[in-house]
Amino acid sequence: QNLASGSLSLQSDAYYLTHFHGDWAREMQLTEEKLTPGAKLIEEHHKDAKSTMRDNPSFLLTLRKPADEDSGETYAAALAWNGNYRIKFDVVHDGRLHITAGTNPFLAERLLAPGETLTTPDLILTYSDTGRGQASRNLHDYARANALAHPSEPRAILLNSWEGAYFKFDENVLTGMMDAAADAGIEMFVLDDGWFGNKYPRDNDKAGLGDWQVNTKKLPRGIGYLADYAVQKGLRFGIWIEPEMVNPKSELAEKHPDWILKSGTRDNPTSRTQWILDLANPEVQDFVVKVFDDTVALSKNITYIKWDANRSIMSPGSAFLPNDRQTHLWDDYTRGLDKVYQRIRQKHPDITIQLCSSGGARVNYGALRYHDEFWTSDNTSAHERVLMQYGTSMIYPPIAMAAHVSASPNHQTKRLLPMKFRFDVAMSGRLGVELNPSDIPDADMPAFRQGIATYKRIRPIVQQGDLYRLHNPFDGDDRAALMYVTKDKTASVLFAYNMRYNGREHSLPILLRGLDPAKKYKVEELNPDGKNRAFKSGGKTFSGDFLIKTGLTPRWTQRPYTSVVLLLTEAP
């Protein structure tokens, strides 16, 4: 059967499509010049376990002119589906555009038994006649109201152990990181990969995955000791799991080879030295739920789970499914994962869960409904994150967008970036830290502490406010600006970033959006670079009308990797 969830038909003299691919967005014109009548454009993905690694199941479509933030008819849409998908755009003979979105039918025939029903995925769709900015805000409001766990709870500032320690840690390393985190004002510590496995210790990514017992050599006093230590320091405690995956070198793989996805007698290649468990199998679903239950039970002080999934299905085949139902795997895996999520949320409604999956590989509205946030990308470089976070915000709410301050040079790109710039970029999402604080140079510690304190001050505005994108980093000058405005328009925070030298006389005037023209606003620069303030008029009051029509011109473009954060509060 064709499992498409639905279709939409539009009539216009031109259509402009923006589709999100990795860390960039591509825009194309869907007209007779680009696609002759009857031609098709198909965006699809079929890797299932990591459903959205390079192509997100979402799009923006504008009518009659290219996408604009503040004007024009715009449709924004996103599939609520955590598996293989297809979104098809057909320009038919009379110029109408047909859009069909749903599951991907490739090698996915579904045979329904008499009386059996099948529910197709939801398509989240919104319309704006005032540009793509309002379409994004519509989706953000929808997410906070209907598609995000604990939407009104402030997201904690956390320190994740991964880039600070990787697999090389013991109790002293972790408690030292907690000491430094608490001292700097961080609110939660998350222990990442490497805490489990005894017969096959998890000292690298080649062994131990699937064996969810605490590594007694690394952590002789167990997870409970670490979680209690965190709470004594005033921190919440979280922990990493990857329960759908297994290393060939593990007790689980030895005991249950029938639980591993494998296409008949063919070789089963690994990726990141691991295989995938068969979530079409109810026994595997029970196992994954038990992994979650047992992990949380390690300590009453575990309040956060980071859920990873680090590979795609490369050898599709299920020992559980009959031979004539092997094409059900793509659908059954996704629905099996949904059943697991539902059971876990029913049992653990208060746990904060991060949707990680290699950073962004499951960012979709189907999975997001069970999670509080997502890990935007494993690339933590603030330079790339300006681009990624700008594009991600087109569809997904910034409150759920985990953004971490990492080391310099960055571990992925080797870029050297100032501490202030790294914080200013990360503060536009859910702020976190991805390094060992003991490695921070003494000269950077004041900026580190200041960044954490600044975010606590603006957190309600960023996480619950309306987003307005003011300058697009994809426009070619390596600059970006965005702002958040509270619903009552009494407060706002502006972020502006410069990633290259743009000349001494080329400061960018920024026209603000979302403010009340009739109100007056006091402007204050936050998180300044010592005494080098980018906004010399800090403390002054301006009318909303002036800020909208004339704007502000901070001096932040003279050097690469400079940035400014401005807080606007209603003045009498």
Side-chain angles (χ1 to χ4, degrees):
Q1 291 193 20
N2 183 344
L3 304 185
S5 62
S7 62
L8 177 70
S9 181
L10 300 173
Q11 180 71 59
S12 175
D13 57 357
Y15 312 96
Y16 295 84
L17 173 72
T18 302
H19 184 69
F20 304 97
H21 182 90
D23 61 353
W24 55 278
R26 57 181 174 183
E27 184 174 79
M28 61 193 77
Q29 184 176 4
L30 306 181
T31 63
E32 293 188 7
E33 291 76 25
K34 299 293 183 181
L35 292 178
T36 58
K40 298 178 175 66
L41 172 70
I42 299 176
E43 297 290 345
E44 61 183 356
H45 192 94
H46 43 83
K47 288 190 177 181
D48 207 62
K50 290 169 65 175
S51 56
T52 65
M53 190 65 190
R54 298 298 178 194
D55 294 273
N56 195 267
S58 60
F59 63 88
L60 292 171
L61 185 79
T62 58
L63 308 184
R64 286 175 278 280
K65 69 172 191 173
D68 184 87
E69 284 292 315
D70 302 310
S71 64
E73 293 185 84
T74 302
Y75 290 87
L79 271 174
W81 178 243
N82 199 40
N84 298 344
Y85 72 89
R86 183 169 74 171
I87 303 175
K88 184 170 66 171
F89 302 85
D90 296 335
V91 179
V92 298
H93 68 282
D94 62 357
R96 283 179 298 153
L97 175 66
H98 287 175
I99 306 168
T100 307
T103 60
N104 194 320
F106 178 72
L107 294 179
E109 291 85 0
R110 184 90 194 184
L111 302 175
L112 297 181
E116 184 182 359
T117 61
L118 181 72
T119 302
T120 58
D122 292 329
L123 180 69
I124 313 303
L125 178 70
T126 187
Y127 169 80
S128 164
D129 60 2
T130 55
R132 66 185 180 190
Q134 186 58 52
S136 294
R137 291 187 288 276
N138 292 346
L139 287 177
H140 298 169
D141 285 343
Y142 170 84
R144 285 189 291 257
N146 304 288
L148 194 63
H150 313 120
S152 62
E153 293 183 8
R155 273 35 179 180
I157 303 170
L158 63 84
L159 169 62
N160 186 275
S161 70
W162 181 240
E163 288 190 20
Y166 292 106
F167 294 105
K168 298 179 179 180
F169 59 79
D170 57 20
E171 284 183 352
N172 289 334
V173 169
L174 299 179
T175 55
M177 294 177 76
M178 291 185 215
D179 290 342
D183 183 62
I186 291 171
E187 299 162 329
M188 178 160 59
F189 178 79
V190 178
L191 173 58
D192 211 286
D193 197 356
W195 58 268
F196 51 90
N198 287 301
K199 180 179 179 181
Y200 301 107
R202 184 69 168 175
D203 296 328
N204 51 51
D205 65 3
K206 295 177 173 57
L209 191 59
D211 302 342
W212 299 101
Q213 71 272 150
V214 179
N215 184 302
T216 55
K217 182 178 179 181
K218 286 182 179 178
L219 306 173
R221 287 182 280 188
I223 297 299
Y225 168 76
L226 294 174
D228 291 347
Y229 189 92
V231 170
Q232 291 167 11
K233 301 296 293 188
L235 302 169
R236 291 174 56 193
F237 186 82
I239 195 167
W240 178 98
I241 58 172
E242 191 176 7
E244 302 157 69
M245 309 291 167
V246 59
N247 286 130
K249 192 175 181 179
S250 67
E251 295 181 74
L252 180 63
E254 293 172 349
K255 183 178 179 181
H256 287 291
D258 56 314
W259 283 6
I260 297 167
L261 289 179
K262 185 176 185 295
S263 184
T265 59
R266 295 180 179 179
D267 291 339
N268 194 4
T270 60
S271 175
R272 204 173 184 255
T273 327
Q274 63 193 54
W275 291 321
I276 301 180
L277 299 179
D278 182 5
L279 278 177
N281 186 338
E283 288 187 0
V284 176
Q285 296 171 26
D286 291 344
F287 169 79
V288 173
V289 172
K290 189 174 187 302
V291 169
F292 195 100
D293 290 345
D294 290 350
T295 302
V296 172
L298 291 170
S299 170
K300 68 180 186 303
N301 288 321
I302 294 175
T303 60
Y304 179 103
I305 294 289
K306 178 180 179 180
W307 185 310
D308 219 335
N310 276 305
R311 65 156 294 175
S312 300
I313 296 174
M314 301 167 67
S315 184
S318 168
F320 172 77
L321 294 172
N323 288 338
D324 64 349
R325 297 293 190 272
Q326 288 297 307
T327 58
H328 291 200
L329 173 62
W330 301 109
D331 191 56
D332 283 356
Y333 185 99
T334 302
R335 297 183 190 276
L337 179 60
D338 268 7
K339 291 177 182 177
V340 167
Y341 283 152
Q342 290 166 14
R343 290 169 61 184
I344 285 171
R345 270 305 180 197
Q346 288 172 359
K347 297 174 72 173
H348 306 283
D350 298 326
I351 293 286
T352 302
I353 308 178
Q354 184 190 80
L355 179 66
C356 180
S357 193
S358 293
R362 275 184 176 161
V363 180
N364 63 80
Y365 275 96
L368 193 59
R369 62 173 67 120
Y370 305 107
H371 296 78
D372 299 74
E373 62 180 34
F374 56 83
W375 183 225
T376 314
S377 173
D378 278 350
N379 185 343
T380 58
S381 170
H383 177 104
E384 278 71 27
R385 280 301 189 99
V386 169
L387 303 169
M388 292 177 191
Q389 293 169 194
Y390 192 93
T392 301
S393 74
M394 295 282 178
I395 303 294
Y396 300 101
I399 185 177
M401 186 168 55
H404 289 189
V405 175
S406 58
S408 181
N410 178 262
H411 290 188
Q412 292 82 42
T413 67
K414 308 305 178 185
R415 290 185 190 273
L416 292 163
L417 298 172
M419 182 67 77
K420 170 181 164 55
F421 185 82
R422 285 177 274 159
F423 259 102
D424 288 355
V425 172
M427 284 194 293
S428 66
R430 193 277 287 141
L431 176 66
V433 176
E434 193 83 17
L435 49 75
N436 190 333
S438 66
D439 295 334
I440 298 174
D442 290 343
D444 281 343
M445 278 308 299
F448 186 80
R449 294 174 181 276
Q450 177 178 266
I452 293 169
T454 297
Y455 187 73
K456 290 179 180 178
R457 187 175 176 187
I458 63 175
R459 172 165 43 193
I461 306 174
V462 172
Q463 295 187 0
Q464 298 295 337
D466 287 332
L467 170 64
Y468 292 83
R469 293 177 293 264
L470 308 178
H471 190 78
N472 190 340
F474 296 99
D475 280 350
D477 63 0
D478 288 326
R479 293 184 287 195
L482 61 154
M483 63 187 292
Y484 297 91
V485 184
T486 58
K487 292 291 186 181
D488 62 4
K489 300 185 183 300
T490 59
S492 173
V493 60
L494 167 72
F495 298 93
Y497 312 114
N498 178 56
M499 295 178 283
R500 75 178 189 202
Y501 178 73
N502 276 290
R504 293 183 179 179
E505 306 303 325
H506 289 82
S507 289
L508 178 71
I510 304 173
L511 303 181
L512 277 57
R513 295 289 180 264
L515 303 176
D516 184 342
K519 292 183 184 295
K520 292 182 179 180
Y521 295 92
K522 179 182 177 181
V523 182
E524 175 186 359
E525 183 174 357
L526 302 181
N527 209 36
D529 183 12
K531 297 181 180 180
N532 300 318
R533 293 186 173 270
F535 190 66
K536 302 300 183 182
S537 298
K540 291 187 177 180
T541 298
F542 303 87
S543 71
D545 185 67
F546 174 88
L547 294 169
I548 293 168
K549 293 178 179 177
T550 303
L552 300 173
T553 309
R555 303 284 296 182
W556 55 283
T557 59
Q558 294 183 11
R559 304 187 316 277
Y561 302 118
T562 51
S563 53
V564 61
V565 181
L566 301 179
L567 175 66
L568 288 77
T569 52
E570 184 179 6

